[in-house]
Amino acid sequence: MRMPFTDAVITAILGYGVVFFGLVLLMCAIAIMGKVMTAQKSAPAPAAAPAPAPAPKAELPAAPGSAGEVKLYDVPDRDAAMIMAIVADKMGKPLNELRFKSIKEVK
């Protein structure tokens, strides 16, 4: 038994529609469950006495010493120094507290 082309197109469209509708429902259910779980985690704790204002952060002295040798692969010393300084700045740590094993240019 052969199905006419128009019936086949309508059947295919309805099938795709059912599948995508199910995916949308699943996505909504997961989003709702995520919000419920987040709300349960961040439920307010019993009110406690207000904490005193934190003391201003004191400047930490730089750590003494060096973290060892760095192997450079196709990277000039100047570029390696800039990369290490940027990483240290983004991490908020003094450069001498970080250890770089190697720096390699990705080509």
Side-chain angles (χ1 to χ4, degrees):
M1 179 173 170
R2 291 183 49 95
M3 183 184 294
F5 181 74
T6 54
D7 288 347
V9 170
I10 291 172
T11 303
I13 290 173
L14 286 175
Y16 289 136
V18 168
V19 168
F20 281 107
F21 181 72
L23 289 174
V24 169
L25 284 179
L26 184 62
M27 184 176 67
C28 291
I30 290 172
I32 290 170
M33 290 300 294
K35 296 223 186 263
V36 168
M37 294 299 175
T38 304
Q40 286 179 353
K41 277 187 182 176
S42 63
K57 238 182 180 178
E59 290 288 327
L60 296 176
S66 171
E69 294 292 320
V70 177
K71 293 179 185 174
L72 301 179
Y73 299 100
D74 298 329
V75 178
D77 290 342
R78 182 175 183 266
D79 292 346
M82 283 193 289
I83 291 169
M84 290 188 288
I86 290 169
V87 169
D89 182 59
K90 292 289 182 185
M91 292 183 71
K93 297 243 181 208
L95 186 59
N96 53 1
E97 285 185 4
L98 299 177
R99 178 160 187 224
F100 294 89
K101 293 182 179 183
S102 66
I103 299 176
K104 181 178 182 181
E105 181 180 359
V106 178
K107 296 181 181 183

